[in-house]
Amino acid sequence: MQTTLSYALHTPRLIVRMIEESDLPDLYQVFSDEAVTRFLPYITWTDTLAAHSWYQRVKEMAAQATAMQCVIVDKESNKVIGACLLFRFDTECERCELGYALAQPYWRGGYMAEALRALLTHAFGEMAINRVEAEVDPRNPASAQLLRKLGFTQEGLLRQRWKFKGEIKDTWMFGLLRDEWQAANGAN
């Protein structure tokens, strides 16, 4: 299973590509916003040390082929406006998980749906993934709505699944299968 993008994915407004260290200043603007990181399982960045520490972990996961961290670039401004990743690859089961975050000024503009459509097309196509899973905090209905719009099925509630930021949290589990994606998107 290929766990890196060897080329950038282009959409009408966006470029989805592998992360580079030079993306950290733009990503700092995304992940230093508490509204963006509220439901994410890691801290809000308060300094550049946090950004560089996160980047080192991302590079280690890429080297171990356990995650594919991408950035979302706005073509008009050439600015990184968010991130999306595939991670927890299970090669034998052809399965992985999906994560994403977007700068607040771009919320509700269809940007994340556009980026994730490109990433999912790549995952179900060239990567030969059969199942993509995503977890959503039940207090984040916008994220759940995005996944449903992309064709994910809400498969259940995992009670008290995670503990982070001092809280024990439930999570909704979503899943999307390759044949569902291909049927909905006209692929074979």
Side-chain angles (χ1 to χ4, degrees):
M1 176 185 306
Q2 169 195 341
T3 59
T4 61
L5 279 175
S6 55
Y7 57 91
L9 306 174
H10 290 264
T11 73
R13 299 180 293 175
L14 305 170
I15 300 169
V16 178
R17 61 167 173 75
M18 296 297 292
I19 189 172
E20 300 169 0
E21 192 166 8
S22 61
D23 298 323
L24 289 179
D26 285 348
L27 283 173
Y28 184 83
Q29 297 302 310
V30 177
F31 292 116
S32 64
D33 182 343
E34 289 187 14
V36 171
T37 62
R38 179 178 176 206
F39 301 114
L40 298 179
Y42 49 85
I43 63 165
T44 303
W45 295 354
T46 57
D47 55 39
T48 57
L49 180 60
H52 286 281
S53 176
W54 174 84
Y55 179 73
Q56 289 308 314
R57 284 192 310 276
V58 163
K59 294 306 283 181
E60 289 170 14
M61 290 187 301
Q64 297 167 2
T66 60
M68 183 176 89
Q69 179 68 59
C70 299
V71 292
I72 302 165
V73 180
D74 174 37
K75 285 182 178 179
E76 187 175 314
S77 66
N78 201 34
K79 181 179 174 83
V80 173
I81 62 169
C84 52
L85 77 151
L86 298 174
F87 64 110
R88 292 189 180 135
F89 291 105
D90 182 334
T91 306
E92 188 175 318
C93 294
E94 299 175 351
R95 183 196 77 71
C96 68
E97 293 185 36
L98 173 70
Y100 46 88
L102 188 66
Q104 198 173 162
Y106 295 88
W107 289 1
R108 292 177 180 72
Y111 290 93
M112 188 54 75
E114 188 174 321
L116 293 182
R117 277 189 192 97
L119 186 61
L120 290 167
T121 296
H122 179 75
F124 290 125
E126 285 110 55
M127 292 179 72
I129 297 288
N130 184 58
R131 177 181 168 85
V132 176
E133 297 174 352
E135 295 184 33
V136 173
D137 187 310
R139 298 171 299 171
N140 188 357
S143 186
Q145 181 181 9
L146 167 67
L147 292 174
R148 288 184 194 102
K149 179 179 180 179
L150 291 168
F152 280 79
T153 299
Q154 185 175 341
E155 298 176 335
L157 174 71
L158 303 176
R159 299 175 303 137
Q160 299 184 9
R161 169 96 162 134
W162 298 109
K163 182 176 182 181
F164 59 89
K165 299 179 183 176
E167 292 182 77
I168 296 175
K169 301 181 182 206
D170 295 343
T171 190
W172 283 330
M173 177 61 76
F174 286 82
L176 179 62
L177 305 178
R178 178 175 44 220
D179 60 352
E180 294 168 338
W181 180 258
Q182 291 173 338
N185 293 282
N188 293 331

